[in-house]
Amino acid sequence: MTVITVHSARGRFTQDQRRQLAETLTDAVLVPEVGRFAPAARIGFQVHFTERDIDSMAIGGVLLADQDPRPDVMVIDIAVMDGDWTREVRKDVIERILAALTEATGVRTPSPTWWINFRVIEEGSWGSRGGVLSILDLLGSGVFTEDKAAGIRAHIAAVTSA
């Protein structure tokens, strides 16, 4: 289960861009998380678009409303359940997120003011389905590859025995 929140200036994205990003941002995390493209896993992903007025955002200590030219500021927050999130996998996710944003916005390269936070929610700290949910509860769903499931089991065993 994953939550991707895109914080941007009001009007930054059209509805068509949000539709595209809802799918491409989901898949940008889904594939590295479960080890393959598995459309059935999409139900475990939420994408939220939050927009703020430019007089409610600042970079460099200056409101966006007071800057000319106005920088393209975005913060993308990715919250994932504890699992097999090695440095390489997190790097892959971040690169996939930036590629999806670049494609959807039609720019050649990601803006240096697009910032991504990748947060792993500690085992025992994710609530869903009326209680606390572990990623171990999801391994029987059939969407994870065997290699990915083994990596998750090993990681959770290591962090819960420490």
Side-chain angles (χ1 to χ4, degrees):
M1 300 184 95
T2 296
V3 179
I4 303 163
T5 307
V6 180
H7 304 278
S8 65
R10 187 167 313 286
R12 172 61 180 92
F13 298 110
T14 65
Q15 187 173 11
D16 285 341
Q17 287 173 319
R18 287 191 303 273
R19 278 191 186 100
Q20 178 181 348
L21 287 166
E23 182 176 320
T24 59
L25 294 176
T26 293
D27 293 344
V29 183
L30 181 151
V31 172
E33 183 170 11
V34 303
R36 63 188 173 116
F37 178 64
R42 285 179 171 160
I43 194 68
F45 289 73
Q46 293 185 23
V47 179
H48 298 252
F49 296 93
T50 61
E51 296 183 326
R52 293 181 170 81
D53 294 328
I54 58 172
D55 63 353
S56 297
M57 298 172 68
I59 189 164
V62 180
L63 289 175
L64 293 185
D66 297 335
Q67 296 190 38
D68 186 23
R70 188 168 298 129
D72 185 14
V73 173
M74 272 191 266
V75 175
I76 299 85
D77 183 62
I78 306 164
V80 298
M81 297 177 83
D82 203 356
D84 188 26
W85 294 107
T86 64
R87 182 180 304 265
E88 295 80 25
V89 172
R90 288 176 289 166
K91 179 181 184 287
D92 184 32
V93 168
I94 290 168
E95 289 172 349
R96 288 169 166 268
I97 293 287
L98 290 168
L101 287 164
T102 300
E103 182 179 330
T105 58
V107 298
R108 292 178 60 166
T109 59
S111 170
T113 54
W114 296 356
W115 297 352
I116 297 176
N117 296 318
F118 189 104
R119 296 182 302 119
V120 178
I121 307 302
E122 184 177 294
E123 176 68 9
S125 299
W126 195 283
S128 179
R129 302 178 184 182
V132 175
L133 185 66
S134 169
I135 196 162
L136 298 174
D137 300 327
L138 305 176
L139 294 182
S141 67
V143 298
F144 293 87
T145 63
E146 281 303 313
D147 286 347
K148 203 62 177 167
I152 290 168
R153 284 187 194 96
H155 171 76
I156 298 299
V159 298
T160 56
S161 68

